Amino acid sequence: MNRKMLIAGNWKMHKTPDETEEFITAFVARYQERPGTDVLIIPPFTSLDRAGRLLVGTEITLGAQDLYYEEEGAYTGEIAPHMLRACGCTYALVGHSERRALFNEDDAVVNRKLRATINAGLTALLCVGETLTEHRAGKVEKRIIAELTRDLAGVTHDDMAHVVIAYEPIWAIGTGETATPEEAQATIKLIRGWVATAYNDQTAAAVQILYGGSVKPGNAAALLGQPDIDGALVGGASLDPESFIQIADASLDR
Ligand code: 13P
């Protein structure tokens, strides 16, 4: 199974619509697309419409950082999945650790959001990962499997074609600390093994699993060279077109 690489840039709470336009103009002018690698940018909500218009005619895909699971109604401040599609999104992040920790999203909410994402025809980019305490206590497997089991409850084989998983160890996010390529590979292999048990071998062989947490131009090639790592979910280093291009260029043509 030759899985494509996916290089995703989660901009978090950075960039206005004008700054988004500046980034996309510079990126599109310089980036050489390759058939084995997809690029995804995930700007804040307020930049999505502008980004969607600018990306028409390119192969670069667009995603949202979050969504709400209802279709419409009295939910002040929330954004429905179909609204994201109308802006040109094909992906949505679900269960990022910052949403879980800072905005009290538990697995039940993550599960509802994930199913709403798939039902709306978007691909869900589900984030899982352990804290530093869990990491030090050797509880990585326990934490990851608990998240996967709860977050993917009720998600069918067919639905799994619209799920990408990102392993983001919380202690590696924004800290400059990365899991070693071997550590990241081992945990991602464990995730793929869980998918094989929960679904089947075919689904496990097909699902894209990314690594995220302080991915930079200097460490991208070693991480992306691991057999089970199918791409990167990049925060800080995705804000600059040059460094994001360097990371995308480090992806393999499998
Ligand atoms: P950094 O690359 O800034 O560590 O962020 C990772 C992340 O959280 C991407 O979703």
Side-chain angles (χ1 to χ4, degrees), residues 8-16 19-20 22-24 26-27 40-44 65 215-217 234-245 247:
N10 171 16
W11 291 358
K12 309 191 179 185
M13 201 170 73
H14 295 282
K15 295 196 192 289
T16 62
E19 289 163 348
T20 298
E22 225 174 281
F23 177 100
I24 290 174
F27 188 88
L40 165 64
I41 60 167
I42 311 175
Q65 297 175 15
V215 177
K216 308 277 178 230
V234 188
S238 72
L239 295 170
D240 171 58
E242 281 309 317
S243 69
F244 195 47
I245 286 171
I247 293 169

Side-chain angles (χ1 to χ4, degrees), residues 10 12 96 98 168 172-174 213-215 233-236:
N10 171 16
K12 309 191 179 185
H96 192 280
E98 286 152 16
E168 296 209 306
I173 296 177
S214 296
V215 177
L233 180 54
V234 188

Side-chain angles (χ1 to χ4, degrees), residues 86-136:
C87 289
C89 289
T90 50
Y91 287 84
L93 278 186
V94 180
H96 192 280
S97 60
E98 286 152 16
R99 303 269 350 143
R100 294 180 195 256
L102 303 173
F103 304 100
N104 301 319
E105 286 191 11
D106 61 14
D107 288 307
V109 169
V110 172
N111 177 252
R112 287 183 79 168
K113 289 187 171 186
L114 183 127
R115 286 185 291 130
T117 302
I118 299 168
N119 289 339
L122 295 159
T123 295
L125 182 34
L126 170 67
C127 303
V128 296
E130 81 284 0
T131 63
L132 184 59
T133 312
E134 289 164 329
H135 185 77
R136 288 192 175 142

